């Protein structure tokens, strides 16, 4: 695991060289393909060294981090063209990638916490430095305080764990499932992850951060940072299983009811980016419900859905940014009739919208099928909320697609232009893995 970390760290001095944009970008793609060659055995950690290790859950999310960071670089051509603080921008992406890599590969709970918190800093700088509106300061404050307020008690909880069990080695946590803990410790241990996912009621930081972030910030937020919460829950709930059996009904109920309400909020959005951001909250509500059921299908379905949502949501944010760069607005009242102006880009809108509503053959379909099975097996009553979430998911995605692509287009949009090859490549690299991974889905569903 250290060899890839060294590769990322040794790229950092290169960012301060002139004309190193494509050199570092190519090196990240190379690191992605090198990591793909690592084979992880199910049921155990592989490549264990220096508090780092990798199992199937870590492998999938590290690969997603590498892939999304590579695509962030491709999508941020505006930063390269403008020349605005390019070295700092490149450094922040590499620093964020190294923190995510360390977070997902840590085998020690304390190290996991440190890297989990450290990944917040470059994201905050991306929003504050390259965001579009003055409200980005407020969005950054929301992001910082929501996350920190919930995360600092987690540090105390980790110390209590160490005092009780004498070890923070993550694979050992599964063996403590029979130990029940106090309600306070249980809440402290999972609250940080619930906010990071984000769960409904503590989700307000996410739409604000998304709307104010540049395209690279939105891609990494939707693609990887929301998955930190799900990953942390899967790791920690092994030690809190007996307590979670008592309280999980609260989290599942809030997530499912919240998913329905957020889907209704999506139908009232006039901002393209805001709509995609709220749809992330609805999808992560399903993921949280699947993890909290604590059965096999739920955990595997949540993992699959996290990978699928990371690719799909990131691709949609890229599309929204492409229209924003051309029209200077994300309002649906201005972005209309795009099929008349950019028919080939409209095809990508359709393909990624279809994936967002879990149409076959996307990986989202596999994740949703597993999650529906696990949640209905947990409680029949949840079927009502699941039906509404599935229906409204299709409704707001069709609303997004039909409103933006059809209708009378704005006369000022005559001054816009079609897509670049680079943009089509970025969209293809989101969509192709999303639809090809379902052909080889055993690693996602047969790893516990």
């Amino acid at each position: 695991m250290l060899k890839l970390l060294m590769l990322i760290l040794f790229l950092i001095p290169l960012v301060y060289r002139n004309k190193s944009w494509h050199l570092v970008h190519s090196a990240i793609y190379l690191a992605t393909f090198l990591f793909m060659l690592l084979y992880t055995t199910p049921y155990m950690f592989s490549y264990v060294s220096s508090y780092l290790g990798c199992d199937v859950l870590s492998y999938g999310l590290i690969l997603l981090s590498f892939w999304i960071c590579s695509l962030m670089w491709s999508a941020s051509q505006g930063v390269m063209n403008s020349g605005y603080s390019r070295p700092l921008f490149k450094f922040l992406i590499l620093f964020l990638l190294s923190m995510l890599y360390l977070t997902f590969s840590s085998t020690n709970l304390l190290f996991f916490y440190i890297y989990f918190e450290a990944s917040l800093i470059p994201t905050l700088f991306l929003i504050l430095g390259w965001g579009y509106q003055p409200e980005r300061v407020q969005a950054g404050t929301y992001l910082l305080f929501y996350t920190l307020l919930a995360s600092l008690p987690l540090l105390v909880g980790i110390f209590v764990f160490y005092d009780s069990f004498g070890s923070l080695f993550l694979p050992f946590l599964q063996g403590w499932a029979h130990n029940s803990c106090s309600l306070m410790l249980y809440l402290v241990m999972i609250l940080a992850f619930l906010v990071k996912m984000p769960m409904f009621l503590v989700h307000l930081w996410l739409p604000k951060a998304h709307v104010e972030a540049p395209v690279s910030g939105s891609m990494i937020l939707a693609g990887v940072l929301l998955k930190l919460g799900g990953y942390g829950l899967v790791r920690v709930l092994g030690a809190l299983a007996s307590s979670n059996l008592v309280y999980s009904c609260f989290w599942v109920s809030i997530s499912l009811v919240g998913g329905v309400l957020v889907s209704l909020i999506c139908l009232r959005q006039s901002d393209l980016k805001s709509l995609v951001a709220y749809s992330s909250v609805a999808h992560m509500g399903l993921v949280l419900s699947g993890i909290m059921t604590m059965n096999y299908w739920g955990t595997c379905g949540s993992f699959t859905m996290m990978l699928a949502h990371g690719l799909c949501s990131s691709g949609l944010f890229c599309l929204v940014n492409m229209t924003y760069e051309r029209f200077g607005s994300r309002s649906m009242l201005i972005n209309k009739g795009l099929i008349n102006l950019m028919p080939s880009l409209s095809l990508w809108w359709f393909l990624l919208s279809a994936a967002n509503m879990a149409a076959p053959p996307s990986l989202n379909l596999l994740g949703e099928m597993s999650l529906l099975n696990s949640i209905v097996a947990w409680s029949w009553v949840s079927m009502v909320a699941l039906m509404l979430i599935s229906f409204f998911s299709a409704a707001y995605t069709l609303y997004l697609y039909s409103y933006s692509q059809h209708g009378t287009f704005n006369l000022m949009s005559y001054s816009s232009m079609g897509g670049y090859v680079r943009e089509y490549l970025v969209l293809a690299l989101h969509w192709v893995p999303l639809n090809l991974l379902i052909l080889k889905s055993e690693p996602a569903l047969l790893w516990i």
Side-chain angles (χ1 to χ4, degrees), residues 39-46 54-57 171 174 235 296 442-443 445-448:
Y39 173 72
T40 58
T41 50
Y43 316 113
M44 67 175 82
F45 273 80
S46 315
C54 183
D55 65 350
V56 176
L57 182 63
Q174 313 302 320
R235 291 287 188 226
Y296 182 85
E442 294 96 331
L445 292 175
L446 299 173
W447 55 274
I448 296 180

Side-chain angles (χ1 to χ4, degrees), residues 366-383:
L366 183 70
E368 279 205 15
M369 280 165 51
S370 305
L371 288 170
L372 291 176
N373 268 302
S374 73
I375 297 167
V376 170
W378 180 79
S379 168
W380 277 90
V381 183
S382 60
M383 198 181 281

Side-chain angles (χ1 to χ4, degrees), residues 82-83 117 190 199 207 218-219 260 314 329 355 358 370 377 395 410 434:
S82 67
E117 286 302 304
I190 68 165
M199 186 181 73
S218 291
M219 285 170 72
V260 176
S314 175
S329 170
S370 305
N410 210 330
L434 185 61

